[in-house]
Amino acid sequence: MNFGWVRKTTGILLLAILFSAAFYPPLQNYLQIPHNIAIFEGQTYDIPNAVSVLNYDDSSVAISNKEDNPVMEALSSSESTVSMGIKGLPLKAMDVSVYPELKVIPGGQSIGVRVKTDGVLVVGHHLMDTDAGKVSPGEASDIRVGDSIIEMNGINISSMNDIQPLVQEAGEQNKPISFKIKRDGKIMKKELTPVKGKGDPRFHLGLFIRDSAAGVGTLTFYEPQSGNYGALGHVISDMETKEPIEVGNGEIIRSDVTSIEKGLTGEPGEKLARFSNDRKVLGNITKNTSFGIFGKMHDEARNEEWMDPVEIGLAHQIEEGPAEIYTVVEGEEVQRFNIEIISSTPQQSPATKGLVIKVTDEELLEKTGGIVQGMSGSPIIQNGRIVGAVTHVFVNDPTSGYGCHIEWMLKDAEIDLEKNETKKAG
């Protein structure tokens, strides 16, 4: 007997069985059951009907059947385990984290953004024509583009007005200035002596600097108990250095959308907006992170007619399919527009491009061509829950773009989901 042929045939049959089993719906459902999930009090989770629930903590969750499908309802904040199996045989255990109930107010409002840098930001080097040739004392002293000057001769620097008197005094005395700068989060010390250019009576550092920035964006949410908010969905970077701006302080202001530059393939569109005539300050800015800007809404701003609070939708609760975004395309009116969530990637650690979305709303496509600059931060709503925020547009397809999961923005807003404790920002 040819045993080699038998072994080969048996191997092929086993491989075919395994391959077929991978497409067997009950097995697919079983494999899709996560090892752990997080859910808020009052929310439900559909357990795949490939298994039955064998054991659970009834003080933490409740299990019921809906159309022969086990449904788990979160009852109270806790950590527990749900044991599942087939015909009484335990096969899988799912760790369940139940978070306290949390609702936030979705945004969509157009906001103006004004930030003051932490210190002053170096955005370039200035070569001066001197008797010794063209020189830049700042560049020669290894003060680089993107550095923040936070101290000179022991004096805190908060604006460009703080610098000139110190430069003139040091230049007239022909003494070096000791600098404290921040680079990539590290504090460094530098030293340079100001110089004059030919025919110039003033002394200079040979640096181009900036102490503020302004722009427009969209409010994503605010938490009504504390007033802590999140907006933009992405970091504010300096237009010249392309580096993230370290915020000393700032404010968000009521803004009007005046017109739209429609997006085209290869040319992202833009919301054109201006600060409202009343220049009403809505809140402060205390943080600028990869997921946007964060701070606290002023009490008087929170008393306006905002939308109703909504639940939080975590990454594992997002479905591929229809959703909405809230945004402004004219004046100050927040409107709802239809989109499609193309994909959602669960993330173990913070990352900005967790969602791929596509605009399907004919009205929005007609007005904007899709996603445009200034729309960043527009909240994404699915099944009555806020699940994320718009962050980027695809340059080659303005109808589509990225979004971030809402839990990362909540974290940067210092809202602790597990304890539902909110640190007061600012």
Side-chain angles (χ1 to χ4, degrees):
M1 181 178 290
N2 188 342
F3 290 102
W5 180 85
V6 172
R7 285 196 298 269
K8 185 175 181 180
T9 302
T10 302
I12 291 173
L13 287 172
L14 288 173
L15 185 63
I17 291 170
L18 289 171
F19 185 76
S20 299
F23 292 92
Y24 181 53
L27 181 60
Q28 284 183 310
N29 288 339
Y30 172 77
L31 294 174
Q32 288 174 359
I33 298 173
H35 293 293
N36 52 71
I37 67 163
I39 189 171
F40 291 92
E41 289 176 346
Q43 293 185 348
T44 59
Y45 174 76
D46 292 342
I47 298 173
N49 57 15
V51 296
S52 57
V53 176
L54 304 179
N55 192 30
Y56 62 94
D57 179 358
D58 60 9
S59 68
S60 176
V61 299
I63 305 293
S64 60
N65 284 312
K66 179 182 176 184
E67 298 178 356
D68 296 325
N69 218 49
V71 177
M72 179 181 71
E73 180 183 1
L75 298 179
S76 62
S77 175
S78 62
E79 301 280 338
S80 63
T81 300
V82 174
S83 176
M84 293 168 283
I86 298 176
K87 294 185 178 180
L89 178 65
L91 292 177
K92 193 161 190 173
M94 181 172 66
D95 293 328
V96 179
S97 299
V98 179
Y99 296 160
E101 183 183 36
L102 174 65
K103 292 184 177 182
V104 299
I105 308 292
Q109 295 86 354
S110 179
I111 55 172
V113 178
R114 291 195 301 215
V115 295
K116 292 280 291 181
T117 60
D118 183 15
V120 297
L121 182 67
V122 177
V123 298
H125 294 111
H126 175 211
L127 285 174
M128 293 173 293
D129 191 10
T130 70
D131 293 335
K134 290 189 175 182
V135 298
S136 167
E139 185 174 17
S141 300
D142 191 37
I143 296 179
R144 304 177 186 176
V145 172
D147 288 349
S148 292
I149 300 171
I150 58 176
E151 195 175 287
M152 292 170 59
N153 283 346
I155 298 173
N156 290 333
I157 301 299
S158 60
S159 72
M160 292 188 291
N161 293 333
D162 298 332
I163 291 179
Q164 197 58 35
L166 296 172
V167 172
Q168 296 310 309
E169 181 182 356
E172 290 166 2
Q173 296 176 3
N174 195 29
K175 289 183 177 180
I177 300 173
S178 60
F179 283 77
K180 191 179 285 186
I181 65 167
K182 186 184 288 187
R183 178 184 300 164
D184 298 329
K186 297 179 180 178
I187 301 298
M188 300 178 178
K189 293 183 178 180
K190 301 292 179 181
E191 194 174 84
L192 70 83
T193 302
V195 300
K196 285 182 179 180
K198 288 182 178 178
D200 190 340
R202 297 185 303 163
F203 291 89
H204 298 275
L205 300 175
L207 298 171
F208 290 115
I209 58 176
R210 183 169 23 248
D211 62 4
S212 62
V216 296
T218 303
L219 182 71
T220 306
F221 67 87
Y222 90 88
E223 196 279 311
Q225 298 300 317
S226 64
N228 288 15
Y229 77 85
L232 299 191
H234 63 75
V235 71
I236 300 177
S237 297
D238 182 77
M239 60 191 302
E240 306 220 9
T241 68
K242 309 302 180 187
E243 295 293 321
I245 293 175
E246 290 207 39
V247 173
N249 59 70
E251 54 194 16
I252 56 173
I253 300 165
R254 188 197 297 273
S255 170
D256 297 328
V257 176
T258 56
S259 61
I260 301 285
E261 288 187 358
K262 200 169 179 178
L264 303 171
T265 299
E267 296 181 24
E270 184 178 4
K271 282 186 185 183
L272 299 179
R274 66 185 178 194
F275 294 170
S276 298
N277 290 333
D278 62 7
R279 303 230 164 193
K280 182 172 183 177
V281 176
L282 301 176
N284 65 4
I285 301 172
T286 58
K287 294 171 68 175
N288 177 33
T289 78
S290 299
F291 295 95
I293 56 172
F294 303 87
K296 184 174 180 179
M297 301 289 292
H298 293 336
D299 288 340
E300 61 270 21
R302 293 162 56 193
N303 290 332
E304 296 187 2
E305 293 183 3
W306 300 89
M307 296 178 181
D308 294 331
V310 298
E311 294 182 347
I312 306 300
L314 301 175
H316 70 83
Q317 297 172 306
I318 298 173
E319 303 169 356
E320 294 180 2
E324 291 181 315
I325 60 171
Y326 296 173
T327 200
V328 175
V329 293
E330 185 176 354
E332 296 185 18
E333 181 187 1
V334 177
Q335 295 178 263
R336 304 181 182 197
F337 297 103
N338 296 322
I339 65 165
E340 190 91 4
I341 295 179
I342 305 300
S343 67
S344 172
T345 305
Q347 299 159 324
Q348 297 300 314
S349 57
T352 55
K353 297 176 180 178
L355 297 166
V356 175
I357 62 174
K358 184 177 183 67
V359 175
T360 58
D361 196 289
E362 292 298 332
E363 181 184 356
L364 187 59
L365 290 171
E366 176 65 27
K367 289 181 176 179
T368 68
I371 299 169
V372 296
Q373 295 175 24
M375 200 178 283
S376 299
S378 299
I380 301 170
I381 310 295
Q382 187 181 62
N383 298 326
R385 298 170 180 163
I386 182 170
V387 299
V390 178
T391 59
H392 298 82
V393 61
F394 292 168
V395 175
N396 293 324
D397 178 12
T399 67
S400 302
Y402 287 114
C404 67
H405 291 134
I406 196 63
E407 51 256 52
W408 305 129
M409 290 190 71
L410 292 169
K411 181 178 179 182
D412 281 356
E414 299 185 346
I415 298 172
D416 189 332
L417 301 185
E418 297 184 31
K419 298 179 181 179
N420 201 353
E421 293 175 352
T422 307
K423 299 175 185 177
K424 297 207 171 185

